[in-house]
Amino acid sequence: MNASTTPVVQGPVALKNVAAFMAMTTRLIERSHHLPGFGVCHGPSGYGKTYASIFAQNRTKAVRVEVGDSWTRRTLLRNILRECGETVKDKWPISDLSDLAKSVLGENPSRPLIIDEADKLVDKGMIEIVRELQESSGASVILIGEEKLPAKLLTVERMHNRVLHWFPAQPCDLEDTQILARAFAPKVDIKDDLLEAICNRSNGRARRIVVNLDHAAEIARNRNLRALDLKAWTGEFFTGEPPTPRHVEPYSRRAQKVA
């Protein structure tokens, strides 16, 4: 799809997971002081957890970081402080970075801290520093990760009992797929039978649904159609699965006869 036909989507699309994530964020912000301050959003890749968190970030002016594979405690603290608008020196010890982060987050406890890819913090034994930040600052902290994140947190006794809200992200349904179609393929009237097939073949994963919607828009454009249903669909659905191994006959290396 070229630049002239690509739809411009202003921010995350308001799917059910976006609304549920926002509800969890609001509950954490408005909680009583004696209640725990952690929320956990978990689910398979492609369910739209990150986009839901960006929506909440924009609405609440939250501090949001996405943990990288190479991150250390120092990297985590520096990125949190950078997102808070703070400038830190390279040689500051971790203890000073931690104290500053607690102070900055504590200045506005109604501004949440959202940490994406939080599984990596548990895997690296770094989740305790996040617990310290939350308890000292009083700010709400939302951890986002894959489906096994709650089980991983159960192994850290001082963490799992500080979670106020567990939010399992849900796969997209037909209504979500209709919303995505209006956002990403607005020039094509994609019928419900095709949308339902796209949703099912995409396993309810928003990322895969969007790829299939892009293919539907391309089919309609190439065939000059304003509407598209399942009968008019051509090609394969994008499922995210790799191709099956091909059977390739071995090359025969027989010696050539010399005349």
Side-chain angles (χ1 to χ4, degrees):
M1 185 176 287
N2 57 47
S4 61
T5 58
T6 302
V8 178
V9 180
Q10 298 295 334
V13 181
L15 305 179
K16 292 183 179 66
N17 281 334
V18 174
F21 193 101
M22 190 63 209
M24 174 183 65
T25 305
T26 302
R27 182 186 178 191
L28 285 167
I29 293 173
E30 297 178 351
R31 76 188 190 282
S32 300
H33 294 299
H34 65 279
L35 294 176
F38 277 96
V40 176
C41 174
H42 59 97
S45 173
Y47 272 26
K49 304 183 299 296
T50 294
Y51 287 105
S53 72
I54 294 173
F55 181 90
Q57 176 190 14
N58 293 335
R59 285 294 183 90
T60 64
K61 301 187 185 302
V63 178
R64 182 181 174 279
V65 296
E66 185 170 333
V67 181
D69 287 329
S70 62
W71 279 25
T72 63
R73 288 175 175 82
R74 180 184 297 276
T75 315
L76 172 65
L77 292 169
R78 287 177 59 85
N79 276 274
I80 290 174
L81 288 168
R82 185 180 297 113
E83 291 299 318
C84 290
E86 297 292 325
T87 301
V88 297
K89 296 181 179 179
D90 292 337
K91 296 183 179 180
W92 280 8
I94 293 179
S95 58
D96 288 352
L97 294 173
S98 179
D99 288 342
L100 180 57
K102 294 172 186 176
S103 175
V104 172
L105 292 173
E107 290 176 359
N108 185 7
S110 64
R111 181 176 60 172
L113 169 62
I114 301 174
I115 302 179
D116 205 347
E117 301 287 350
D119 311 69
K120 298 171 184 175
L121 298 181
V122 185
D123 295 340
K124 295 184 176 185
M126 294 165 51
I127 197 66
E128 280 287 354
I129 197 167
V130 179
R131 181 188 61 80
E132 290 181 10
L133 292 180
Q134 193 284 317
E135 289 189 340
S136 297
S137 66
S140 303
V141 177
I142 299 174
L143 305 176
I144 305 173
E146 299 299 323
E147 187 62 23
K148 293 182 179 180
L149 178 57
K152 291 181 178 182
L153 290 173
L154 283 174
T155 64
V156 187
E157 183 178 356
R158 291 191 292 182
M159 266 301 306
H160 69 83
N161 60 3
R162 287 173 169 81
V163 177
L164 177 64
H165 189 93
W166 302 90
F167 165 44
Q170 301 299 316
C172 290
D173 57 14
L174 176 59
E175 183 179 355
D176 285 330
T177 307
Q178 291 169 336
I179 294 173
L180 288 169
R182 290 194 292 269
F184 290 94
K187 296 183 179 180
V188 186
D189 178 16
I190 304 179
K191 301 301 182 181
D192 282 351
D193 62 343
L194 177 54
L195 290 176
E196 188 168 6
I198 287 175
C199 182
N200 292 335
R201 294 301 299 273
S202 302
N203 201 23
R205 303 194 183 211
R207 189 178 296 118
R208 297 176 185 176
I209 290 173
V210 170
V211 173
N212 282 307
L213 290 173
D214 182 77
H215 182 39
E218 183 180 7
I219 292 173
R221 186 172 64 254
N222 291 340
R223 296 170 60 182
N224 198 26
L225 298 175
R226 293 187 177 182
L228 197 69
D229 59 13
L230 186 57
K231 290 182 180 179
W233 173 268
T234 57
E236 298 291 332
F237 288 99
F238 176 76
T239 64
E241 298 295 327
T244 56
R246 297 174 296 173
H247 177 69
V248 181
E249 293 291 340
Y251 178 73
S252 178
R253 295 181 176 275
R254 295 177 182 176
Q256 297 288 334
K257 291 184 178 180
V258 179

